[in-house]
Amino acid sequence: MTQRSVLVVLFDGVQSLDVTGPVEVFAGASHFPGAAYDLRTATLDGTPVRTSSGLTLVPDSSLADAGTPHTLLVPGGQGTRSPDPALVAWLRDHAPHAERLVSVCTGALLLAEAGLLDGHRVTTHWMICDHLARTYPAVEVDPDPIFVRDGSLATSAGVTAGIDLALALVEEDHGRDIALTIARHLVVFLRRPGNQAQFSAQLTAQTARREPLREVQHWITEHPGGDLSVDALAARARLSPRHFARAFQAETGLTPGRYVERVRLEHARRLLEDTTDGITGISRACGYGTPEAMRRAFVKTLGAAPAEYRRRFRTQPAAD
């Protein structure tokens, strides 16, 4: 098997986890015969750089001496906000020759400045999506997924999403078993699907200011199969249903029903990925009542029925 090379571009102000997360994933493949990557880092002039957190990274070489890699990975960080014109020029001239071009987080800004994202569907950190779309109107920015594949181009959302994308690339190159072993070693999930939202339900919603509403949020998360009607939740918060619904949306940014939908979907997804429980049992445990109700929720949000989702993303053989 031909060894694939991975070149990681370094620059002052790079986000350290954008570099080390994917590097650890690719390096993990070295434990498997025939799966190792030729993994290198490079800066414009070959000198060390200082990350946004203050760490110093020493590259293997200059970009001029690095050669053309199979996979060129461009991380993000504060250094992407005022990019070095020489780095942008190097990317414009050399990145198109790589077989696979990857960005992590705000590394997409460097690729966009080099004109490499025009006409492509991409994503980046949720805080930067609007800026990317406004500044580079020829780029189709999708703010929701944790990573997006568009032909030989792959872009990911913030920080840890780079690990998810790297695992997906290893799976593409060497198969699911190797990627799964690497994920287990790193104690991360294999793998969050690319179309998974950048936020969990708990992160999407703001934390309520008032303690009774925070307690309700926690209760919903801990009891997705329970009675989560507005009347029941309002009684738990010791508020009238109308007052509760208004206050919950005002303080969290989501209606109670929408919040419950997201929590139930997340819980069902985790059970499909990580357990051998049957779909009928999962639908009941997550408050859907019937497999058909859960199927409608999955198709509407994820574009795949529960059985198909499990086939694609489960981490162990399923009972059904």
Side-chain angles (χ1 to χ4, degrees), residues 134-150:
R134 289 195 309 269
T135 307
Y136 305 98
V139 180
E140 181 187 348
V141 181
D142 189 339
D144 291 327
I146 58 172
F147 63 83
V148 169
R149 300 293 304 277
D150 188 351

Side-chain angles (χ1 to χ4, degrees), residues 51-184:
T51 70
S52 57
S53 60
L55 298 174
T56 297
L57 300 180
V58 180
D60 295 306
S61 70
S62 69
L63 288 172
D65 295 331
T68 301
H70 173 274
T71 299
L72 179 65
L73 189 147
V74 181
Q78 294 177 2
T80 64
R81 309 302 174 87
S82 299
D84 186 336
L87 177 58
V88 172
W90 185 92
L91 289 170
R92 183 182 299 115
D93 293 340
H94 294 85
H97 300 295
E99 293 188 40
R100 196 161 57 191
L101 181 58
V102 178
S103 71
V104 179
C105 197
T106 57
L109 293 175
L110 294 177
L111 298 185
E113 182 66 18
L116 300 169
L117 301 186
D118 291 355
H120 290 284
R121 175 173 168 261
V122 306
T123 195
T124 186
H125 192 285
W126 64 271
M127 291 183 66
I128 304 298
C129 284
D130 286 345
H131 170 73
L132 180 62
R134 289 195 309 269
T135 307
Y136 305 98
V139 180
E140 181 187 348
V141 181
D142 189 339
D144 291 327
I146 58 172
F147 63 83
V148 169
R149 300 293 304 277
D150 188 351
S152 61
L153 174 68
T155 55
S156 69
V159 246
T160 56
I163 296 175
D164 294 290
L165 177 52
L167 285 167
L169 297 178
V170 170
E171 182 176 0
E172 176 184 295
D173 294 342
H174 301 296
R176 191 175 189 278
D177 288 344
I178 289 178
L180 176 58
T181 302
I182 295 171
R184 285 173 172 165

Side-chain angles (χ1 to χ4, degrees), residues 155-215:
T155 55
S156 69
V159 246
T160 56
I163 296 175
D164 294 290
L165 177 52
L167 285 167
L169 297 178
V170 170
E171 182 176 0
E172 176 184 295
D173 294 342
H174 301 296
R176 191 175 189 278
D177 288 344
I178 289 178
L180 176 58
T181 302
I182 295 171
R184 285 173 172 165
H185 177 72
L186 296 176
V187 198
V188 296
F189 287 108
L190 177 75
R191 61 183 165 79
R192 294 188 294 171
N195 63 355
Q196 181 174 320
Q198 292 192 27
F199 291 122
S200 67
Q202 290 77 16
L203 289 177
T204 301
Q206 304 167 39
T207 300
R209 295 188 301 274
R210 283 181 279 181
E211 182 63 26
L213 297 181
R214 289 199 300 272
E215 290 180 358

Side-chain angles (χ1 to χ4, degrees), residues 196 201-202 220-221 223-225 260-291 293-299 301-302 304-307 309-310 313-314 320:
Q196 181 174 320
Q202 290 77 16
I220 293 170
T221 301
H223 302 85
V260 168
E261 287 175 6
R262 294 188 178 187
V263 168
R264 282 177 167 162
L265 187 70
E266 280 184 21
H267 190 60
R269 179 182 55 77
R270 286 195 296 271
L271 292 178
L272 288 169
E273 292 175 2
D274 302 331
T275 76
T276 59
D277 296 350
I279 289 177
T280 299
I282 290 175
S283 66
R284 292 172 180 165
C286 295
Y288 289 109
T290 67
M294 187 170 80
R295 188 194 70 81
R296 288 196 300 268
F298 267 68
V299 170
T301 305
L302 299 176
Y309 183 91
R310 167 168 269 172
F313 302 115
R314 70 188 181 201
D320 55 332

